[in-house]
Amino acid sequence: RRSHMTVSYTDPQMSMDLLRAVLQPSFNDDIMAVFRKYQKFFEKAAQNVKENVGDDVQTDQLIKDTCRNVLEHAKQLFPEGDVKKSGPEMTIKRSRPIDEDYI
Amino acid sequence: RRSHMTVSYTDPQMSMDLLRAVLQPSFNDDIMAVFRKYQKFFEKAAQNVKENVGDDVQTDQLIKDTCRNVLEHAKQLFPEGDVKKSGPEMTIKRSRPIDEDYI
């Protein structure tokens, strides 16, 4: 059981993720508060979709899918491999914009 | 080229995603404001990591990775396939501590 708990405290990602895990509940509250601002738009849109497409549309699920998509797209605020100031080598493996293959 | 622009306005996901795309910039502003609240923690942690691990640690990148992870984990606020069919509202069920299965 003990080995299960062993983590490397010198692994940078792991260290940062321990902090992330601690902050996540608070983050989630804040992010949820943001989503509440937009909830009425999503509800209205989902209701429209349901009226246009049919009653088998699950508006709940549609809204949740959309919320997850919002979060996915928000990742572009923190682009990967955007090596700006630190480090001598420029490993810019700029991944393509998330969106291109989406729509 | 025109066919490239053709979208089905009766596709539920597509309709919702058009709305998402419209709201995304505003969402991003709000989400960025949330992250600013926590930035000092991330910076401190990344700095610690750099001191412990070595100068080749790119704190910028480490922080961005962590921010993307926060967003990824926040998706659990909107679980997939949670088919409860409970009316038009986003069921804001305060989920259990997100991390249980992570560490």
Side-chain angles (χ1 to χ4, degrees):
Chain A
R1 214 87 196 94
R2 182 168 254 245
S3 68
H4 189 67
M5 301 294 286
T6 305
V7 292
S8 163
Y9 290 108
T10 56
D11 179 277
Q13 271 79 33
M14 185 63 77
S15 302
M16 293 300 284
D17 205 61
L18 289 172
L19 174 63
R20 182 207 55 75
V22 168
L23 296 179
Q24 189 77 48
S26 177
F27 256 115
N28 284 359
D29 288 347
D30 291 344
I31 286 173
M32 206 62 204
V34 169
F35 276 92
R36 273 189 213 101
K37 278 178 59 179
Y38 301 90
Q39 186 162 353
K40 60 177 178 300
F41 299 114
F42 289 147
E43 280 171 7
K44 184 105 176 105
Q47 206 51 50
N48 280 341
V49 167
K50 195 185 176 78
E51 280 161 26
N52 292 330
V53 177
D55 281 340
D56 54 329
V57 171
Q58 301 197 320
T59 53
D60 261 29
Q61 210 47 50
L62 211 48
I63 291 171
K64 284 180 184 170
D65 292 346
T66 308
C67 292
R68 286 199 309 281
N69 277 337
V70 166
L71 292 169
E72 181 60 35
H73 282 77
K75 288 182 186 173
Q76 295 178 32
L77 290 167
F78 311 104
E80 210 170 348
D82 180 54
V83 185
K84 247 196 300 209
K85 71 176 174 191
S86 42
E89 87 245 280
M90 295 288 267
T91 39
I92 297 181
K93 64 153 211 206
R94 180 77 182 81
S95 54
R96 319 186 48 220
I98 306 254
D99 275 296
E100 299 218 322
D101 50 2
Y102 187 73
I103 286 185
Chain B
R1 220 79 200 100
R2 181 168 252 248
S3 67
H4 189 67
M5 300 294 287
T6 305
V7 293
S8 163
Y9 290 106
T10 55
D11 179 276
Q13 271 80 31
M14 186 64 76
S15 302
M16 293 300 282
D17 203 61
L18 289 172
L19 174 63
R20 181 207 56 74
V22 168
L23 296 178
Q24 188 77 47
S26 177
F27 256 114
N28 283 359
D29 287 348
D30 291 344
I31 286 173
M32 205 63 202
V34 168
F35 275 92
R36 269 187 219 104
K37 280 178 59 180
Y38 301 90
Q39 185 154 3
K40 60 178 178 299
F41 298 114
F42 288 147
E43 278 169 8
K44 184 103 176 107
Q47 205 51 49
N48 280 341
V49 167
K50 195 184 178 78
E51 279 161 26
N52 291 330
V53 177
D55 281 340
D56 55 328
V57 170
Q58 301 195 321
T59 52
D60 264 28
Q61 209 47 51
L62 212 47
I63 293 172
K64 283 180 185 169
D65 291 346
T66 308
C67 293
R68 286 199 309 281
N69 278 336
V70 166
L71 292 169
E72 182 60 34
H73 282 77
K75 288 182 187 173
Q76 296 176 30
L77 290 166
F78 312 104
E80 209 168 350
D82 178 59
V83 186
K84 264 201 294 204
K85 189 89 172 152
S86 51
E89 267 141 17
M90 266 197 289
T91 38
I92 300 171
K93 65 157 200 220
R94 183 71 183 86
S95 50
R96 323 188 39 222
I98 301 285
D99 282 296
E100 301 218 318
D101 52 355
Y102 188 71
I103 287 182

